[in-house]
Structures are given as structure tokens and as C-alpha cells.
Amino acid sequence: MTLIERTGERGIATLTLNSPASRNALSAALVGELRDALADCAADDTVRAVVLTHTGSTFCAGADLTAPPDPEAFVGLMREIVALPKPVVARVTGHVRAGGLGLLAACDIAVAGEGSSFALTESRLGLAPAVISLTLLPRVDRTAANRYYLTGERFDAAEAARIGLVTVAAEDVEKGLAPVLDGLRRASPQGLAASKELVTATVLRSFDQYAEDLIARSAALFASDEAREGMTAFLERRDPAWVR
């Protein structure tokens, strides 16, 4: 089965995460296919912008705990979205969890429907939002990051827009997307690339400066006893030992 489906209309390439059985979790295979699809879009002169969306009720559930990607590959994916010379617009009508928020925050613009929900659940698994901080912290209000990094609480699209995670919280996602896509179609390829380069320069510098340390930090956490307990408890649908 193809994990990434590509369609196109009037200069907009739509890449659809198509692994609903795993809640579009970030497996090694999905990350690899998405990187390949983005590279194809970058090389295609007919593509003005990319929409990243999903099948099923979940945009992305975070790392696939049964077949996780290499951390460097996932960091590479996020960096490629940020550095892509064409805008990437997230279209979200479902749930986003953990590493999925890093994928979402790498996109230039995000439109989320009222049925979507978001949570940084890493702290509840004995982990931390380490590598996804590269895209999240430049985007999200710092006070909100303090809260949601630590508590793992779930929040809705309106709150996601308030804190800067998404651009538009819309009752009707297609209506919310329409003016964005119209604007991108009216812009020149050179104008889009140059404008995106301006707004992503600081984020790309943070990848160059901090990615290696955050990958190491993430790997150490995943290898810890607490994380093993947290992930086992999650898969067994029980509370981990530390819950009081």
C-alpha cells in the first residue's frame, strides 16, 4: 500500500498521509515516502505549493512505536519541509499528537477544522518533545509551550490558533483553505521561494545549531527505563507505574 498519495489541481500538489490503520504514525516507511514525495514536488515546475493532509480521523499520531523512523530521518523530513522552496500548507481535520505536532509546525501555513485536537503527550511516556522543538518553539507562544510540554493536555483548534500552532481554525476547512490557495496561485514561483526563505532563515539556523544535540537527547530518553515503562503502558492501555 502507498503510504503517501499524491494528487494535483491548478498548481497545488496534495500529499495525503494514507496509513489510517496506524493513525498515520511516523513509521520509517512513511517518513521515507513523504521525503521522496516532497523531493518530487520540489523538482516539479508545475507545482506552485504543497498541501499536506490525511486520511482517517488522525492527521498524525506521532512516532510509530512499533516501527519508528531513525531520528535523523525524521529531523531531515522536518528540515526539508521548512527548506522546501515551495510553501507547504497543512490541512488538518483530525487529531495530532506528539511528533505529529512537529510535522505540522514545519509547515508554513496550517488550517485546522473544529473537530481537530492536539496534544504533546511525550512527558506522559517518559519522553520529551526534543527534536520537534526545532519547529514548535519558533512558532508556539512560549507560555503555552510551558503548559502543554509539561502537562500533555489536549487542546482544540481554536486554542491551537491562539497559541500560533495553526494559522486558521475553521468550521469549514475547505472555506478556510480557499483564500490561502488562491493567494499562493497568484504569487510567482520566485516570489514564493524568496519570501519563504526570509521567514524560515532563523528556523533553519536552529536546525544547524541544535539538531545533533536534540537527536542525542531524544535517543537517550527513548533508551531509558522510564520510557520503556511509558511506551509499554501505552501499548497495554494502562497507566504507567509513576501515575499517582
Side-chain angles (χ1 to χ4, degrees), residues 156-233:
D156 63 13
E159 174 70 352
R162 186 192 73 79
I163 67 176
L165 176 62
V166 305
T167 315
V168 178
E171 288 186 19
D172 185 316
V173 171
E174 303 311 322
K175 287 183 179 179
L177 273 173
V180 172
L181 299 185
D182 180 65
L184 296 176
R185 287 183 170 115
R186 291 176 182 276
S188 82
Q190 176 178 280
L192 287 175
S195 297
K196 176 168 177 173
E197 188 176 7
L198 290 172
V199 296
T200 59
T202 301
V203 179
L204 290 173
R205 283 197 294 270
S206 75
F207 270 86
D208 296 337
Q209 187 171 358
Y210 300 118
E212 186 175 342
D213 173 67
L214 290 171
I215 288 170
R217 197 178 308 188
S218 178
L221 286 168
F222 266 95
S224 68
D225 290 339
E226 278 196 18
R228 278 192 289 271
E229 165 61 11
M231 290 185 284
T232 300

Side-chain angles (χ1 to χ4, degrees), residues 8-244:
E9 181 183 8
R10 295 178 55 214
I12 306 297
T14 298
L15 302 181
T16 303
L17 306 180
N18 185 37
S19 184
S22 69
R23 300 167 62 222
N24 294 314
L26 294 162
S27 65
L30 186 145
V31 167
E33 286 193 26
L34 183 52
R35 294 183 76 178
D36 289 344
L38 288 165
D40 289 343
C41 290
D44 188 342
D45 291 339
T46 69
V47 174
R48 183 67 51 83
V50 176
V51 170
L52 182 63
T53 189
H54 60 101
T55 57
S57 61
T58 300
F59 175 79
C60 180
D64 187 334
L65 299 182
T66 63
D70 181 273
E72 291 187 4
F74 179 50
V75 170
L77 169 62
M78 291 191 296
R79 195 185 195 286
E80 285 158 14
I81 293 173
V82 176
L84 200 78
K86 302 173 183 184
V88 181
V89 181
R91 175 190 176 278
V92 180
T93 59
H95 311 302
V96 192
R97 298 289 182 269
L101 274 76
L103 182 64
L104 175 66
C107 298
D108 303 289
I109 299 169
V111 179
E114 61 181 358
S116 56
S117 71
F118 308 82
L120 289 158
T121 53
E122 287 89 343
S123 66
R124 300 186 180 192
L125 298 176
L127 302 168
V131 296
I132 64 173
S133 290
L134 291 164
T135 57
L136 276 171
L137 290 183
R139 185 169 188 136
V140 172
D141 171 83
R142 186 54 60 95
T143 301
N146 289 347
R147 175 176 180 175
Y148 295 121
Y149 266 50
L150 297 175
T151 68
E153 294 170 88
R154 186 172 65 182
F155 53 95
D156 63 13
E159 174 70 352
R162 186 192 73 79
I163 67 176
L165 176 62
V166 305
T167 315
V168 178
E171 288 186 19
D172 185 316
V173 171
E174 303 311 322
K175 287 183 179 179
L177 273 173
V180 172
L181 299 185
D182 180 65
L184 296 176
R185 287 183 170 115
R186 291 176 182 276
S188 82
Q190 176 178 280
L192 287 175
S195 297
K196 176 168 177 173
E197 188 176 7
L198 290 172
V199 296
T200 59
T202 301
V203 179
L204 290 173
R205 283 197 294 270
S206 75
F207 270 86
D208 296 337
Q209 187 171 358
Y210 300 118
E212 186 175 342
D213 173 67
L214 290 171
I215 288 170
R217 197 178 308 188
S218 178
L221 286 168
F222 266 95
S224 68
D225 290 339
E226 278 196 18
R228 278 192 289 271
E229 165 61 11
M231 290 185 284
T232 300
F234 174 79
L235 294 171
E236 293 177 352
R237 298 181 181 273
R238 61 172 175 81
D239 285 339
W242 58 75
V243 172
R244 295 292 180 263

